[in-house]
Amino acid sequence: MTLDIESPPARTAGPRKATKRRAHVPHKGAIALFAAPFGVLFLAFYLIPIGYAVWQSLQVVERDGTYGEPRQVFGWFTQYGLVFESGPFWESVGRMFLFGAVQVPVMLGLALLFALLLDSPVLKGKRFFRLAFFVPYAVPGVIAAIMWGFLMSPNLSPFTDVTRAVDFLSPQLVLWSIANVVTWVFVGYNMLIIYSALLAIPQEIFEAARLDGAGQIRIAWAIKIPMVAPAIVLTAIFSIIGTLQLLAEPQVFRSFSAAVSSTFTPNMTVYATNSIPNVNLAAAFSVVLALTTFILSFAFLKATQRKAD
């Protein structure tokens, strides 16, 4: 008696194509529903205004004769040529570079120092000091500038002996008086970001360092500061962006000092140009300023990442 056993089918030679299956995303409709409000607002208040500003910057105004009705026509990069020929605009950009080179390190240094103090077990009354450091940020920038402007004005300040001996609103010192206001307002904000990063560090690391004999200063220098470096970089990028967008404080200081001109900062130049009115040139100024801010922020981020690697 013989049994017929069927042999299994021969496998075909050659590579088999791997079939990729798309991961099923559940609740796509709900995700789209919740993301729609952000998308609409982002489109309406960010992308469309940027596109409109770029479009306006490519327009020029023409007239038929001296008193003809003005009309906007496409002028390509005519306005950008005027931007690069504008001495006051680039002087204001250079002034802000000087401002940021001094003010930003001082502000972030104070923010880091205050955050380390709040995180130190030696400091008593942390709740009070945390609130005291952060309270200036709750004061609007315009109110802070008015308050400091009165304090620094020789004729209005309650400290007349100091303000008459040192003219804080003179052409030589008014930039640093504005830097004082900005630093006073934003130190607490940057401190809070760094302090939050410090609270996220596992306590076991500090306990191990203390067992090895490290003191508080050594722990702060060798452990805390390196581990909150990403938070410091984040605050630095925010500060670079804010420096080139400075407007409220110098605009208020124009009421106290004749040294603050209408083109003192890049944003003030844009505002003054738009008030002429020359909307197209103001839009070109805005686009160039936005690109400059992006390049500086991106370059700083890449430089810090390269050092970290």
Side-chain angles (χ1 to χ4, degrees), residues 99-100 103-105 107-108 182 186 189-190 232-245 297:
F99 179 96
Q103 187 269 336
V104 171
M107 177 178 64
L108 296 185
V182 176
F186 286 99
Y189 170 78
N190 293 301
I232 298 174
V233 171
L234 178 66
T235 56
I237 292 175
F238 287 165
S239 301
I240 292 172
I241 296 172
T243 297
L244 289 174
Q245 293 181 348
S297 304

Side-chain angles (χ1 to χ4, degrees), residues 176-199:
W176 309 117
S177 298
I178 296 172
N180 172 74
V181 178
V182 176
T183 303
W184 182 79
V185 171
F186 286 99
V187 160
Y189 170 78
N190 293 301
M191 177 211 69
L192 195 62
I193 296 176
I194 299 173
Y195 181 58
S196 301
L198 285 171
L199 293 178

Side-chain angles (χ1 to χ4, degrees), residues 3 22 39 95 101 107 131 161 175 187 196 228 255 266 285 298 307:
L3 298 175
R22 287 187 176 182
R95 190 178 294 114
M107 177 178 64
L131 180 62
D161 293 338
L175 180 66
V187 160
S196 301
V228 299
S255 305
F285 278 135
F298 186 76
K307 287 183 179 180

Side-chain angles (χ1 to χ4, degrees), residues 23-307:
H24 175 68
V25 180
H27 311 297
K28 290 183 179 180
I31 294 174
L33 180 64
F34 282 108
F38 168 79
V40 171
L41 294 175
F42 184 76
L43 179 67
F45 295 102
Y46 191 80
L47 294 181
I48 291 178
I50 289 176
Y52 183 71
V54 173
W55 173 254
Q56 284 285 345
S57 68
L58 299 175
Q59 305 290 310
V60 294
V61 176
E62 289 186 353
R63 296 176 182 270
D64 293 329
T66 306
Y67 302 103
E69 183 178 355
R71 66 180 186 278
Q72 287 191 352
V73 297
F74 196 73
W76 292 98
F77 300 105
T78 303
Q79 303 292 354
Y80 291 96
L82 297 176
V83 169
F84 288 103
E85 293 174 0
S86 174
F89 175 74
W90 294 108
E91 287 176 7
S92 67
V93 172
R95 190 178 294 114
M96 288 301 98
F97 281 171
L98 176 62
F99 179 96
V102 177
Q103 187 269 336
V104 171
V106 170
M107 177 178 64
L108 296 185
L110 290 173
L112 176 61
L113 176 62
F114 292 160
L116 291 173
L117 286 174
L118 289 177
D119 194 59
S120 172
V122 179
L123 183 68
K124 305 298 181 182
K126 291 184 179 181
R127 291 183 179 180
F128 168 77
F129 285 107
R130 184 167 60 238
L131 180 62
F133 292 152
F134 186 72
V135 159
Y137 181 68
V139 179
V142 174
I143 303 300
I146 293 173
M147 180 183 68
W148 279 99
F150 275 106
L151 290 175
M152 295 176 180
S153 179
N155 299 322
L156 302 173
S157 174
F159 311 104
T160 53
D161 293 338
V162 177
T163 55
R164 287 175 182 172
V166 181
D167 188 1
F168 295 102
L169 302 178
S170 64
Q172 294 78 21
L173 295 179
V174 69
L175 180 66
W176 309 117
S177 298
I178 296 172
N180 172 74
V181 178
V182 176
T183 303
W184 182 79
V185 171
F186 286 99
V187 160
Y189 170 78
N190 293 301
M191 177 211 69
L192 195 62
I193 296 176
I194 299 173
Y195 181 58
S196 301
L198 285 171
L199 293 178
I201 301 175
Q203 294 298 315
E204 292 81 4
I205 298 176
F206 303 140
E207 293 175 3
R210 283 192 289 269
L211 289 175
D212 289 339
Q216 291 300 320
I217 297 178
R218 179 63 177 172
I219 291 174
W221 181 258
I223 298 176
K224 291 183 178 181
I225 294 178
M227 295 193 74
V228 299
I232 298 174
V233 171
L234 178 66
T235 56
I237 292 175
F238 287 165
S239 301
I240 292 172
I241 296 172
T243 297
L244 289 174
Q245 293 181 348
L246 195 63
L247 176 64
E249 291 81 2
Q251 191 75 17
V252 171
F253 265 67
R254 286 194 69 193
S255 305
F256 298 98
S257 174
V260 181
S261 64
S262 61
T263 58
F264 193 77
T265 68
N267 262 352
M268 291 178 69
T269 305
V270 174
Y271 183 80
T273 305
N274 186 68
S275 301
I276 292 176
N278 192 340
V279 179
N280 306 117
L281 183 57
F285 278 135
S286 301
V287 172
V288 172
L289 180 60
L291 291 175
T292 304
T293 305
F294 170 77
I295 292 170
L296 285 176
S297 304
F298 186 76
F300 178 81
L301 180 62
K302 285 298 181 182
T304 52
Q305 286 179 344
R306 197 172 292 116
K307 287 183 179 180

